[in-house]
Amino acid sequence: MKSKSGNSLRSVLAHILLIVLSFMCLFFFYILIINATRSHAELQKGFSALPGTHLLENLKNVANDGSFPMFRGIINSICISTSCAVLCTYFSALTAYGLYAYEFKTRKIAFTFIMAILVMPTQVTAMGFLRLITKMGLYDTWYPLIIPSIASPAVFYFMYSYLQSSLPLSLVEAARIDGSGEFRTFNCIVLPIMKPALAVQAIFTFVGSWNNYFVPALILQTKSKMTVPILIATLRGADYMNFDMGKVYMMITVAIVPIIVVYLLLSKYIIAGVTLGGVKE
């Protein structure tokens, strides 16, 4: 009897904790949407939990701002983020498959080298990377934002762990005996098995690229090529005297819509596959 009451108490406490955490996570999104419906004058008065009446006005102000290409920035972010997600997941899976399925002398050295790159911050190599792309004539282009996504140690490690737990090497050997080429084996047999891991990492890579501000801010100078985070920062510091906080909140609200859509469409893969590579059978 005591055990049942103890389990009920733990269940109630767990639900209360989950409700509090959910509220803390969603409260900021709620405030963001509420602020997007208020004017700059209303925002200066302070916090309000009730929506305003300037939603369409703020959206119109952002869309009609000639110095602020909102929709162009969203298209730019979608193109860059989608390209990064595709290249990152495919080549990381290919690299992980190469190190997992093939035995060669420098296999451990290659794995250690990739893991060593994982602990190196982006800020440390930023200046050298900037000088390199400038000399290559790639400054103020999308190429430095997309091509380096091919080499992603974190995604590689997730794919490698997933292969260890999900891909028997006997299946690869059977494909070779049947005359399947290596790339055909990878594309037609290995990739379908890795579908949950690919989906999860594609989502995370897409969101990470969408929210990336540091590297695009160093590389992109032309406004028509800028991504959403840079445009939001430009709007914030464009003109202090004509600064409209309602426009900033509206742009942030619009900027997170594609991310929310991606999560809603592919959330089942996050729930089903986020821990699949963590346990080796």
Side-chain angles (χ1 to χ4, degrees), residues 111-209:
F111 183 85
T112 304
F113 176 74
I114 295 174
M115 289 297 98
I117 299 176
L118 179 62
V119 301
M120 187 176 298
T122 305
Q123 292 80 0
V124 174
T125 59
M127 295 309 299
F129 178 69
L130 184 60
R131 292 184 61 184
L132 175 64
I133 63 172
T134 301
K135 290 182 178 180
M136 295 176 63
L138 299 178
Y139 186 74
D140 196 24
T141 65
W142 288 357
Y143 296 109
L145 303 177
I146 298 175
I147 297 177
S149 62
I150 293 175
S152 178
V155 180
F156 156 80
Y157 182 72
F158 183 91
M159 298 295 184
Y160 186 84
S161 300
Y162 183 82
L163 287 174
Q164 286 181 314
S165 62
S166 304
L167 179 65
L169 290 178
S170 58
L171 185 62
V172 178
E173 293 295 337
R176 292 171 180 170
I177 293 174
D178 290 340
S180 175
E182 296 300 327
F183 276 101
R184 184 179 180 184
T185 301
F186 175 74
N187 292 323
C188 299
I189 298 177
V190 178
L191 281 185
I193 295 176
M194 299 181 67
K195 184 178 178 180
L198 292 171
V200 170
Q201 291 304 314
I203 295 170
F204 291 159
T205 304
F206 181 90
V207 175
S209 178

Side-chain angles (χ1 to χ4, degrees), residues 23-135:
F23 173 79
M24 293 175 62
C25 292
L26 298 176
F27 176 74
F28 300 101
F29 289 100
Y30 173 75
I31 294 301
L32 173 63
I33 296 173
I34 292 298
N35 288 341
T37 65
R38 303 173 65 197
S39 65
H40 180 70
E42 292 174 343
L43 289 169
Q44 287 183 321
K45 295 178 181 179
F47 170 78
S48 175
L50 299 177
T53 59
H54 295 77
L55 175 65
L56 296 179
E57 181 181 345
N58 290 335
L59 181 61
K60 183 179 179 180
N61 290 338
V62 174
N64 294 336
D65 190 346
S67 61
F68 184 76
M70 180 186 71
F71 296 108
R72 179 64 182 177
I74 293 175
I75 294 175
N76 294 345
S77 290
I78 290 176
C79 293
I80 294 174
S81 300
T82 303
S83 301
C84 288
V86 172
L87 291 178
C88 179
T89 52
Y90 181 82
F91 283 98
S92 294
L94 184 62
T95 306
Y97 171 73
L99 288 180
Y100 174 71
Y102 295 94
E103 291 283 351
F104 50 94
K105 294 182 179 180
T106 58
R107 179 181 180 181
K108 292 184 178 180
I109 297 176
F111 183 85
T112 304
F113 176 74
I114 295 174
M115 289 297 98
I117 299 176
L118 179 62
V119 301
M120 187 176 298
T122 305
Q123 292 80 0
V124 174
T125 59
M127 295 309 299
F129 178 69
L130 184 60
R131 292 184 61 184
L132 175 64
I133 63 172
T134 301
K135 290 182 178 180

Side-chain angles (χ1 to χ4, degrees), residues 223-269:
K223 226 166 195 182
S224 60
K225 299 178 182 178
M226 290 182 177
T227 57
V228 170
I230 305 178
L231 289 176
I232 293 175
T234 303
L235 181 62
R236 172 63 179 85
D239 188 352
Y240 180 78
M241 298 302 296
N242 296 324
F243 174 64
D244 188 349
M245 183 64 75
K247 290 171 60 177
V248 175
Y249 280 114
M250 175 54 65
M251 185 57 205
I252 297 174
T253 303
V254 174
I256 67 174
V257 169
I259 299 177
I260 294 176
V261 171
V262 170
Y263 268 114
L264 291 177
L265 293 177
L266 303 177
S267 60
K268 62 178 181 180
Y269 292 109

